[in-house]
Amino acid sequence: MTRPLLTIDLDAIAANWAALDRLSAGAVETGAVVKADAYGLGVAAVSRALRAVGASRFFVAVASEAVAVRAAVGPGPEIFVFAGYTPGDGELLRQTEFRPMLNSPQQVSAFAAEHPDLPCGLQLDTGMNRLGLEPEDLGALDLGSLDLRLVMSHLACADDPSHPQNAAQRGAFQAMTGGFAPELLSLAATGGVLLGPDYHFAVTRPGIGLYGGQPFADARPVVRLSVPVLQVRDVAVGESVGYGAAWVAARPSRIATLAVGYADGLLRALSGAVFHAEGVACPVVGRVSMDLITVDVTDLPFEPDTLDVLGPDQGIDALAAAAGTIGYEVLTALGSRYERVYKGG
Ligand SMILES: *Cc1c(COP(=O)(O)O)cnc(C)c1O
């Protein structure tokens, strides 16, 4: 191996979707959130694999992301856009037939005026205060002419089952949606699926759980990132490694240099992380630079050809913890410089 290799297990993504689907009743439809290039893993391959296992409602963040999903899944499956509708999306709307999740009175009136015959969804604010109609908006708007396909809200604290805001938002959602058909309702992302049936309503919208991340503790891991060692050098006691001379050898050391860095999404905050060689943890030493990372391999009984940044010894959440962030950010930061190989699907 001469280049860093990002291996993405499509069968694991499909299995995670099926496992999340089994957590809700048969009548509940499990959707699939594939925004941000399927959390950085490649929206075309991921959407096709999810379609093949049974997903028929896909969710993206912005209208332009619907193009690749439509190309991957073909006509039929519904594609919902969380950002809703902005004038100017008309061409994308015709091309992809996405469903905007209208989230303000302005969006509702603009969409109703420009596309009176096209289906859409509504997004309600139940306490997160990012997007969505407020109860007083709902009362003031005439929604009778809209061809509604989904009415949703989003939970702010679903990764913490003990958080009182979960039940509060659920109650607010029920209060706001009493006038809509039950089969339109959607509240749960991955965390909400795990909170149990009270949170499932008609359609669930898992994202991170599909990709092997917390809070779905039973997820199958999806990614492996293996990076070739560019060179190994001897560093004497008292010599420093990397920018700022931030690490100084306290013993005669063997330092492996990898041709990856923060420009590849391996955040500078990973300066205290470990990578693995055949199961042995090797500490990152010195600062992560833009294109290079240095790792202490002194304790390895062999000369490593590659080090695993992500893999069986360290999942996305463990790596995220080393950088003080979350698995979501580790995945979406990975970027486009890696050679990608898809398994299964
Ligand atoms: C990103 C997102 C999801 C998926 O959330 P996960 O925590 O990744 O499962 C669902 N709904 C909305 C509105 C989102 O923005």
Side-chain angles (χ1 to χ4, degrees):
M1 189 176 75
T2 56
R3 291 176 57 198
L5 194 64
L6 182 64
T7 308
I8 296 154
D9 186 344
L10 295 173
D11 290 342
I13 294 175
N16 289 335
W17 184 89
L20 288 164
D21 186 47
R22 281 193 301 273
L23 290 178
S24 57
V28 176
E29 243 195 85
T30 301
V33 178
V34 293
K35 62 191 178 189
D37 196 27
Y39 291 43
L41 299 183
V43 69
V46 168
S47 299
R48 266 194 301 273
L50 288 167
R51 176 75 187 127
V53 75
S56 64
R57 299 203 195 204
F58 292 82
F59 295 87
V60 293
V62 293
S64 57
E65 293 181 325
V67 177
V69 180
R70 181 59 75 208
V73 303
E78 288 196 294
I79 303 171
F80 296 93
V81 171
F82 291 139
Y85 179 74
T86 1
D89 285 346
E91 184 50 42
L92 282 172
L93 194 60
R94 270 182 293 278
Q95 188 190 337
T96 66
E97 300 188 327
F98 76 81
R99 314 285 192 232
M101 298 305 302
L102 306 176
N103 54 54
S104 67
Q106 293 74 15
Q107 285 201 352
V108 170
S109 29
F111 186 77
E114 290 177 41
H115 307 284
D117 305 322
L118 295 185
C120 60
L122 282 185
Q123 197 164 171
L124 310 180
D125 180 45
T126 53
M128 197 170 184
N129 284 302
R130 297 191 307 186
L131 290 177
L133 301 169
E134 300 291 334
E136 41 292 7
D137 300 329
L138 265 189
L141 285 166
D142 175 17
L143 302 171
S145 68
L146 295 178
D147 178 4
L148 286 179
R149 301 299 169 89
L150 200 71
V151 177
M152 60 157 267
S153 189
H154 194 46
L155 296 167
C157 307
D159 59 335
D160 175 4
S162 69
H163 203 294
Q165 187 158 331
N166 294 322
Q169 284 195 254
R170 177 177 169 273
F173 188 62
Q174 285 178 309
M176 286 176 83
T177 55
F180 296 103
E183 63 268 21
L184 292 179
L185 304 185
S186 174
L187 182 62
T190 302
V193 173
L194 299 168
L195 290 177
D198 287 352
Y199 289 83
H200 294 166
F201 295 91
V203 177
T204 62
R205 311 184 309 271
I208 193 69
L210 308 175
Y211 310 110
Q214 292 292 354
F216 188 25
D218 296 334
R220 260 172 68 179
V222 167
V223 292
R224 179 170 196 149
L225 177 58
S226 299
V227 180
V229 174
L230 206 56
Q231 63 166 243
V232 178
R233 57 202 299 132
D234 290 305
V235 175
V237 173
E239 286 192 296
S240 69
V241 171
Y243 281 121
W247 185 85
V248 176
R251 57 172 179 171
S253 300
R254 304 270 297 152
I255 302 298
T257 302
L258 312 182
V260 287
Y262 57 76
D264 304 286
L266 299 181
L267 311 173
R268 195 162 173 278
L270 284 170
S271 298
V274 296
F275 298 163
H276 291 83
E278 295 181 21
V280 183
C282 306
V284 172
V285 294
R287 288 191 189 148
V288 170
S289 358
M290 187 184 294
D291 316 290
L292 295 169
I293 294 181
T294 39
V295 180
D296 185 350
V297 296
T298 314
D299 293 331
L300 280 184
F302 56 90
E303 189 93 332
D305 293 327
T306 65
L307 288 170
D308 274 349
V309 174
L310 293 165
D313 302 304
Q314 175 164 258
I316 56 173
D317 290 289
L319 188 69
T325 183
I326 53 177
Y328 297 74
E329 192 178 31
V330 164
L331 283 183
T332 55
L334 286 176
S336 55
R337 277 211 296 204
Y338 300 112
E339 182 174 339
R340 284 151 194 264
V341 171
Y342 290 96
K343 275 194 346 195

